[in-house]
Amino acid sequence: MTIRVKVLDRPIEEVSYIRSTLSGLATTFKHMIDPHKVTMQYPEERWDLSPRWRGTHRMLTTETGKAKCVACGLCPTVCPANCIKLVPGEDEEGNRYPLIFEIDEFRCIFCGYCQEVCPEEAIHLGRHYENAEFSREAFVYDLERLTAQMHPVSELWDPADPSGE
Amino acid sequence: MSEPREVKMVSVTIEGRTTVVPEGTNLIEAAKTVGVLIPHYCYHPGLPVAGVCRMCLVDVEKFPKLTPACATSVMDGQVVHVHTEKAREARKGVLEFLLINHPLDCPVCDQSGECELQDYTFQEGRATSRYEEPKRFNPVEDFGGDVMYVPNRCILCTRCVRFMGDVAEEPVLNVSERGDRAYIGKAEGHDLTHEWAGNVVDLCPVGALLSKDFLNKARAWELDRSATVCTGCSQGCNVTVETRDNTVVRLKPRSNTEVNHFYLCETGRLNYRWMNRRDRLDQPMVRVQGALREVDWEDALDAAAAALGNREVTVLASPNASNEALFLAERIIAKHGGQGVFRVERGGEAPLAGVPDLSLRAERAANGTGARLLGYTDLAEQRKPLQIGADSAVLVLDDLLEGDIPDAVQQLLAAGARLVHVGTTLPDAIAARVDVALPITNHTEEEGTFTNLRGRVQRFLQARTAPGLARPSWFVLGDLTERLGASDGFYTSAAVFDALAAAHESYNGLSYARLALRGLPVLDAEARGLTVEAIHA
Ligand code: SF4
Ligand code: SF4
Ligand code: SF4
Ligand code: SF4
Ligand code: FES
């Protein structure tokens, strides 16, 4: 069965593309001379992040370079995404210390509760956003990786100072 | 048994709820009966009242001032208020004083999450401290045994001192120094290497006395708990198994005033590592053309049934097997003839002086009495040598066959009989000989009952998942007996126990529901000479 296609005979000024092309180009030229640019020249230029930006984690260390974490177990308990794996144990001096501390950054929802609950000010969220990796496994940050991160850390919202002054 | 003494009952109203309790009950216990918890530290139902912590102050109508609930017996018609402004204010003050020298190191304190100082401070303490002076500091001390003392966290409730003095009757601990320098000291030249000393860790309401074994292993709130019975000896102490990620990390006593009151001995407490064994038998195996092959359950059970056939069977059972498993194995003996034997490790006795009839018993297994009641003989008491015919069968029921294997067992295994092994591991001693090996779960992975040396039948519940294809012992033996025509098959361990109760007079009328979590004695415990009274008579 053949399908009949109805061909409409429209006037040329309606089907010509010249007019819309010109109007599109006009918009382009208008933006070329507009001083208010919105495109950022990444990576030469970067965003200024809010002090309260919550990005991937960083574990702070003591002067001796050891993680401050004492494996108290509060952050895995509070974490709503259940993405922190902690196995407590002891370090060489017999102090409480995490044998395994891993955060699955894929499952993390960046709520910041772990930073808020940490009694040792050890685990922090980071003020950065460059997290690309070549594999999924690389998004599970272990203690070594967390302590090696050097980016600035997030400041949490302080109820006593709601607007951050 | 003597007639219970006539006890006068008195009625008391606590927080608007009226309760009737025996005269002489203190307010803390009376309040428990109406579901009110009066905060307390130094009081413990198993210890003499000391009245030193002042945490239990409550408001009693017509009393001029607040009164310590632990040291006040109920009086008829008394009206008690726990949460009046005055009482709360007083307890808040007590808490503030307890905390002035407290290090507040909850993040690294093992007690955190099960600490009464945390709980009550959270409930009714001050949110912030007003104390600005430097805190007192004393170093951590090893108290010997499994106990470690962190003096900075101690609130000097003296529970540990009273336990060692009045219950263990070995007054090793004391309060040394005075005032804010006071701490718990141990008597010169002594330490807590006492079979029952580990209980001070449970009694300590804070993290001052800690178990060295459990130190830094887990958080209280991460643990899953289930009720079980200790397999350390034939006393049958009630225990809570605590697991983290399916691994048993510690055992805690579960109170049962008929058996172990509030206590647990060191041998039992530290007897948990075998529960986490990795080298388990976790696949049913059958010998095919000389080699053991992994097969599926149906084939393995068929092979086991064929190996046992109509042959006379000698069952070598573990005295830690549940009554259910022992009963089903006994059904096979009843059907085809044979005998049941077990062997049990023995050690020294260690009674807890201040508690009647509580001791680490010589027989170091949970269910020797259960096995005897079901007709099994202890090889140590077996006079005549075991008779095993050439065309008979041996069923090993979870005897681990480790260490020194007695001659009688060697002979049993060396005989040309067919050999079926139903166990949690595949012992080297028989790996080369066994015809069929059926993997079962250990007692933390299944439910069942044990009968303790006083004939008390007690249930234990499942605490962790089984490895591989292992099945509960009652399940495996239920299927096996069904194939052998010795039972109709079972779907629950409760049904196995019901069949046991129907078949054995001692257990008549008992059921899982009636046993509940505190157990009941077998009906003829007295007649069989199991009870203390019977032994003394
Ligand atoms: S930010 Fe929130 S979700 Fe992410 S690890 Fe911390 S607590 Fe968990
Ligand atoms: S809350 Fe802080 S100290 Fe506690 S486990 Fe997490 S990172 Fe470690
Ligand atoms: S004893 Fe209790 S309050 Fe004190 S540090 Fe330990 S958990 Fe915290
Ligand atoms: S060590 Fe524990 S039980 Fe002993 S007095 Fe101190 S707080 Fe009480
Ligand atoms: S519990 Fe009453 S004074 Fe300590």
Side-chain angles (χ1 to χ4, degrees):
Chain A
M1 204 174 85
T2 52
I3 300 171
R4 285 167 201 281
V5 178
K6 196 173 164 195
V7 179
L8 280 182
D9 206 10
R10 288 214 186 107
I12 186 75
E13 60 271 24
E14 265 183 42
V15 295
S16 159
Y17 52 84
I18 292 178
R19 201 165 56 170
S20 36
T21 308
L22 286 178
S23 81
L25 278 174
T27 310
T28 309
F29 281 109
K30 202 162 89 214
H31 279 293
M32 269 176 74
I33 52 174
D34 185 354
H36 181 72
K37 290 208 181 69
V38 275
T39 307
M40 176 168 277
Q41 296 303 315
Y42 182 84
E44 286 79 27
E45 288 173 44
R46 282 157 200 248
W47 288 101
D48 281 336
L49 296 182
S50 147
R52 268 163 41 200
W53 174 275
R54 300 193 299 268
T56 52
H57 300 74
R58 176 176 166 198
M59 171 71 75
L60 297 194
T61 53
T62 59
E63 312 82 64
T64 55
K66 259 184 62 181
K68 277 184 172 178
C69 174
V70 296
C72 73
L74 289 184
C75 57
T77 304
V78 77
C79 177
N82 200 4
C83 65
I84 306 181
K85 176 177 174 181
L86 169 73
V87 176
E90 287 167 16
D91 65 6
E92 309 79 47
E93 284 121 58
N95 295 321
R96 208 185 159 87
Y97 193 70
L99 296 181
I100 299 179
F101 187 101
E102 283 174 1
I103 301 188
D104 185 340
E105 301 289 351
F106 265 168
R107 264 162 72 182
C108 174
I109 57 164
F110 301 101
C111 61
Y113 284 2
C114 50
Q115 174 172 351
E116 192 174 326
V117 80
C118 182
E120 303 295 319
E121 304 196 338
I123 194 71
H124 282 78
L125 284 94
R127 267 155 62 189
H128 82 151
Y129 48 83
E130 286 149 327
N131 303 313
E133 294 287 353
F134 291 103
S135 71
R136 297 189 143 255
E137 297 76 55
F139 278 95
V140 179
Y141 290 8
D142 61 6
L143 194 58
E144 203 183 330
R145 168 95 188 250
L146 286 164
T147 46
Q149 308 269 47
M150 290 320 285
H151 51 73
V153 297
S154 165
E155 277 166 34
L156 290 185
W157 180 70
D158 178 2
D161 176 21
S163 51
E165 287 139 16
Chain B
M1 282 234 194
S2 59
E3 277 298 302
R5 200 159 40 86
E6 201 59 45
V7 189
K8 197 169 158 250
M9 301 299 277
V10 293
S11 138
V12 46
T13 305
I14 299 168
E15 286 292 278
R17 288 171 235 181
T18 305
T19 174
V20 179
V21 293
E23 193 175 31
T25 311
N26 69 40
L27 290 181
I28 294 186
E29 292 299 325
K32 280 184 195 167
T33 65
V34 287
V36 174
L37 175 65
I38 299 178
H40 59 274
Y41 289 123
C42 67
Y43 173 74
H44 186 278
L47 302 174
V49 171
V52 292
C53 73
R54 274 3 206 189
M55 189 60 203
C56 63
L57 291 174
V58 290
D59 215 346
V60 180
E61 275 182 22
K62 304 209 184 75
F63 274 29
K65 28 179 207 173
L66 299 176
T67 181
C70 67
T72 309
S73 306
V74 287
M75 282 192 281
D76 208 14
Q78 215 165 31
V79 182
V80 182
H81 302 284
V82 182
H83 294 298
T84 56
E85 195 59 37
K86 202 163 119 202
R88 290 188 76 110
E89 208 43 55
R91 294 201 297 265
K92 202 179 208 175
V94 170
L95 280 169
E96 187 172 12
F97 275 120
L98 287 178
L99 288 178
I100 57 172
N101 274 316
H102 198 85
L104 295 175
D105 53 357
C106 307
V108 292
C109 176
D110 254 6
Q111 191 82 2
S112 183
E114 50 187 4
C115 173
E116 289 170 39
L117 191 53
Q118 270 186 336
D119 293 349
Y120 293 138
T121 304
F122 186 71
Q123 253 175 49
E124 38 190 61
R126 296 179 58 86
T128 51
S129 168
R130 294 184 290 187
Y131 185 74
E132 281 163 5
E133 290 72 24
K135 295 197 177 204
R136 165 204 70 182
F137 178 83
N138 285 316
V140 174
E141 201 180 331
D142 185 346
F143 264 13
D146 183 37
V147 186
M148 192 180 104
Y149 179 53
V150 187
N152 298 335
R153 296 181 192 144
C154 177
I155 58 168
L156 290 162
C157 68
T158 72
R159 275 192 199 180
C160 53
V161 177
R162 279 173 287 146
F163 175 81
M164 289 313 289
D166 295 292
V167 182
E169 296 182 6
E170 215 181 277
V172 174
L173 300 180
N174 56 34
V175 181
S176 304
E177 294 270 6
R178 292 195 295 171
D180 87 326
R181 288 165 325 217
Y183 62 94
I184 299 299
K186 53 183 170 39
E188 198 61 39
H190 290 80
D191 66 6
L192 291 186
T193 41
H194 180 278
E195 186 55 43
W196 294 86
N199 290 294
V200 296
V201 174
D202 307 330
L203 291 171
C204 182
V206 297
L209 294 172
L210 297 173
S211 157
K212 288 188 266 181
D213 179 67
F214 183 68
L215 195 66
N216 296 337
K217 261 203 215 157
R219 283 311 200 188
W221 62 83
E222 299 166 341
L223 302 176
D224 296 313
R225 298 175 168 85
S226 33
T228 192
V229 173
C230 177
T231 54
C233 79
S234 54
Q235 174 76 35
C237 291
N238 290 207
V239 164
T240 305
V241 201
E242 306 196 336
T243 58
R244 181 186 201 265
D245 294 340
N246 208 31
T247 306
V248 179
V249 290
R250 69 173 174 185
L251 303 178
K252 283 267 180 190
R254 184 160 57 86
S255 91
N256 185 343
T257 39
E258 301 294 326
V259 186
N260 57 324
H261 292 245
F262 310 94
Y263 310 120
L264 190 61
C265 76
E266 292 292 282
T267 303
R269 192 182 292 267
L270 299 177
N271 176 31
Y272 66 85
R273 292 208 162 72
W274 63 270
M275 299 171 191
N276 298 325
R277 272 181 85 137
R278 298 293 185 105
D279 57 338
R280 292 281 294 276
L281 174 65
D282 59 3
Q283 290 277 344
M285 304 226 261
V286 171
R287 190 167 302 277
V288 185
Q289 291 158 353
L292 274 185
R293 293 259 167 77
E294 292 180 355
V295 294
D296 67 23
W297 265 108
E298 294 306 305
D299 294 345
L301 285 163
D302 289 342
L308 296 174
N310 283 327
R311 297 180 175 90
E312 211 172 76
V313 57
T314 303
V315 177
L316 175 62
S318 153
N320 275 327
S322 64
N323 285 327
E324 288 74 2
L326 291 169
F327 164 69
L328 289 167
E330 182 255 357
R331 288 290 94 180
I332 304 176
I333 302 171
K335 173 102 182 166
H336 297 305
Q339 59 191 331
V341 292
F342 67 96
R343 63 201 183 96
V344 53
E345 200 190 312
R346 273 163 225 280
E349 298 234 352
L352 179 58
V355 180
D357 199 28
L358 176 58
S359 170
L360 166 64
R361 306 288 173 178
E363 196 173 291
R364 295 289 158 79
N367 208 19
T369 309
R372 286 188 194 95
L373 286 176
L374 289 171
Y376 291 75
T377 350
D378 184 347
L379 277 176
E381 291 158 11
Q382 174 102 351
R383 290 288 158 258
K384 48 183 181 28
L386 292 173
Q387 298 292 333
I388 309 151
D391 192 38
S392 63
V394 174
L395 174 67
V396 180
L397 172 55
D398 203 27
D399 189 314
L400 297 179
L401 299 169
E402 283 166 352
D404 283 340
I405 302 172
D407 290 345
V409 177
Q410 300 273 23
Q411 282 161 17
L412 187 68
L413 300 174
R418 311 299 300 270
L419 185 57
V420 174
H421 177 65
V422 176
T424 52
T425 58
L426 184 57
D428 291 338
I430 53 168
R433 247 213 17 74
V434 69
D435 293 304
V436 183
L438 303 176
I440 56 169
T441 53
N442 69 27
H443 94 291
T444 58
E445 296 153 359
E446 62 181 30
E447 62 170 333
T449 58
F450 291 143
T451 305
N452 83 350
L453 85 165
R454 297 283 171 251
R456 195 177 184 82
V457 191
Q458 306 191 93
R459 288 180 64 188
F460 55 86
L461 307 182
Q462 182 180 0
R464 55 195 295 266
T465 52
L469 295 185
R471 287 180 177 175
S473 53
W474 62 265
F475 188 7
V476 173
L477 288 164
D479 283 355
L480 192 56
T481 48
E482 189 181 3
R483 278 171 169 74
L484 291 168
S487 82
D488 302 331
F490 296 98
Y491 295 103
T492 62
S493 57
V496 182
F497 187 78
D498 290 344
L500 161 67
H504 285 270
E505 244 170 52
S506 314
Y507 293 88
N508 276 174
L510 296 181
S511 70
Y512 271 15
R514 284 198 57 215
L515 293 180
L517 282 180
R518 293 163 62 83
L520 284 172
V522 289
L523 305 178
D524 51 1
E526 185 109 33
R528 284 174 178 273
L530 296 175
T531 59
V532 187
E533 293 82 7
I535 291 165
H536 287 237

